[in-house]
Amino acid sequence: MPDPNPAAQCATVEVPVDWSKPHGPKTGIFVARLRAADPARRIGVLMSNPGGPWAPGADDALHAGHPQKGVYTPEMLQRFDIVGFDPRGSHRSRRARCDESIAGGITSRPRDAAAFEQMRTLNGRLAAGCLRLTGPLAAHMDTESVARDMDAIRAALGERRISFLGHSYGTLLGERYARLFPERLRALALDSVMDPDRPNAERFLTDASVTADDTFKRLAAWCSTAPSCALSGRDLAAVAAELFARAEAGTLRVPGPDGPTQAVADADGLSDFLTFLAWGWDPERATRELAAVYTGTGTVYWPQYQGPSRDMQLVLCRDYDLRIRDHAEYRAIRERVARAAPHVRVSTQGLDIVLGCQGWTLPPKARPARVAGDLPRVLVANATLDQRTPLPGARRMAQSFPGATLLTRDVVGHWLYSSEPTKGAFDAYLTDPRG
């Protein structure tokens, strides 16, 4: 990591652990600011969140202007104070601690009712361990609480209004801030967008899995005409079907450089592999690795079950209600999702998050009511094939804001602000949201 910009300023803003008890115990939020390089042309504060949920947001300001780590153009650095912060319970904002010895024993793919119940029990113990080691803060890491922290930062800066740029999880944070403090927003730009409407487990899984499946279908279409496809001349849908048949028969092995290894690849492991291929668009590498699995010979990245990260559980299990009644309902959901996404069957990340919320004893928190007030025109942008933040969620986000603009790019990927033409569209909007 490069050294921070020497012009950046850092501070800690004290906020209530529980915003319903404003005079109760406090926790600190680490904030960084890089002032606008041209004060005469300064527009105001641009606050941002890069996602995660626990990405170190203060780095947006600490490394602004760096040729590799910085994300803003020189023009944006001249016009805005760049402000970032580490969300409560992360990094320099008193990082939460949990008992990882419990996490190591949790199955991430329960095979039967007994394993499903054991997973729920251990998830509950893990949540209790987070509370024991972190204290009450662990029960107040939901996105509404972080949005209220944002407003405390705004007030500490002495700003009447802010512009906000949220990426990935940061889009949910922007939506919550807009619900709570609409008239304190000058502009709201949301890139690679989460579903604001509290999806249940089935919709959450279906949206991600269908996106991964559609990406696989795009890969198959590319392979049908590309001489560089490692499986040129083959129907990739048929290849996937054969691989799943072999996995279910117990005859599929993880490939190795000299032939099949002794490691058995089951159907869930194959889904993990296929959805990993769908993260980005590198068709030559993807088909090369798919050919290695099909033939048994070659070097591939074979994902290992790791389960959800603690930030996903402490934050998203509060924001969304992904609870499933029992193993029978879980199996029924998996079967319906597999029918909707037959080439990959299920999204790995989506499944990790859903299963990580089963038995989590810090319950979902109600979505806050929308406070009356005028909002600026909102800009929403999403790739058509983004497995991490599927397009249906972006459509719901845009529909939740009257007059919002939804910008889509027909690409496979995530974080559109990193490339043109989306970056230019965002910067133009942030400079003049009425344009």
Side-chain angles (χ1 to χ4, degrees), residues 222-236:
W222 172 86
C223 189
S224 68
T225 61
S228 58
C229 175
L231 288 165
S232 182
R234 291 189 177 273
D235 177 0
L236 293 197

Side-chain angles (χ1 to χ4, degrees), residues 50-364:
W54 279 357
D59 287 354
D60 279 4
L62 292 173
H63 301 296
H66 188 276
Q68 282 81 44
K69 293 295 182 181
V71 298
Y72 300 107
T73 65
E75 175 69 11
M76 294 294 282
L77 295 176
Q78 289 175 357
R79 305 299 302 276
F80 288 96
D81 292 357
I82 305 299
V83 174
F85 64 98
D86 293 353
R88 54 171 53 209
S90 72
H91 302 282
R92 292 153 291 200
S93 294
R94 193 188 161 203
R95 190 180 187 104
R97 294 186 300 130
C98 299
D99 187 346
E100 296 302 323
S101 68
I102 297 173
I106 302 174
T107 179
S108 57
R109 298 295 182 268
R111 305 295 183 192
D112 52 33
F116 188 84
E117 290 307 313
Q118 182 187 45
M119 175 193 69
R120 292 189 356 166
T121 298
L122 292 177
N123 278 340
R125 291 179 186 170
L126 181 59
C130 297
L131 273 172
R132 184 178 70 255
L133 295 174
T134 302
L137 178 63
H140 298 283
M141 296 181 65
D142 56 279
T143 301
E144 179 187 342
S145 295
V146 181
R148 294 185 184 279
D149 296 344
M150 276 178 55
D151 200 58
I153 295 168
R154 176 204 58 78
L157 292 168
E159 297 288 331
R160 187 173 69 86
R161 295 191 303 167
I162 61 170
S163 301
F164 182 76
L165 173 60
H167 311 275
S168 194
Y169 164 75
T171 64
L172 193 61
L173 181 54
E175 187 269 346
R176 290 293 191 269
Y177 190 84
R179 278 184 162 268
L180 295 166
F181 309 105
E183 295 190 338
R184 295 174 188 170
L185 276 169
R186 172 190 166 273
L188 179 61
L190 306 175
D191 166 28
S192 304
V193 182
M194 291 189 65
D195 191 335
D197 288 343
R198 289 173 59 87
N200 61 18
E202 183 163 355
R203 191 175 87 185
F204 185 81
L205 269 183
T206 300
D207 284 353
S209 302
V210 168
T211 302
D213 204 70
D214 287 345
T215 307
F216 185 88
K217 288 189 279 191
R218 181 167 294 190
L219 181 67
W222 172 86
C223 189
S224 68
T225 61
S228 58
C229 175
L231 288 165
S232 182
R234 291 189 177 273
D235 177 0
L236 293 197
V239 168
E242 181 179 334
L243 289 174
F244 274 114
R246 287 159 58 186
E248 288 168 343
T251 60
L252 184 64
R253 298 290 188 273
V254 176
D258 301 316
T261 67
Q262 294 302 306
V264 176
D266 62 14
D268 280 337
L270 180 59
S271 285
D272 286 358
F273 169 76
L274 293 172
T275 55
F276 175 77
L277 292 185
W279 281 124
W281 184 246
D282 186 352
E284 292 185 0
R285 177 194 60 81
T287 54
R288 187 169 58 249
E289 292 199 11
L290 186 60
V293 175
Y294 188 72
T295 63
T297 301
T299 302
V300 303
Y301 171 73
W302 194 263
Q304 301 295 315
Y305 300 144
Q306 295 181 346
S309 58
R310 234 46 71 224
D311 59 335
M312 293 290 186
Q313 291 174 299
L314 284 164
V315 179
L316 294 187
C317 295
R318 304 298 313 282
D319 291 338
Y320 289 170
D321 190 350
L322 302 175
R323 293 173 294 185
I324 296 171
R325 183 179 61 252
D326 53 26
H327 183 261
E329 184 183 21
Y330 167 67
R331 289 312 312 171
I333 290 172
R334 286 290 306 270
E335 289 167 6
R336 289 192 292 270
V337 170
R339 287 196 294 271
H343 305 104
V344 301
R345 297 197 178 179
V346 72
S347 160
T348 297
Q349 185 188 50
L351 187 58
D352 281 345
I353 294 170
V354 166
L355 291 178
C357 291
Q358 306 313 307
W360 195 253
T361 51
L362 301 171

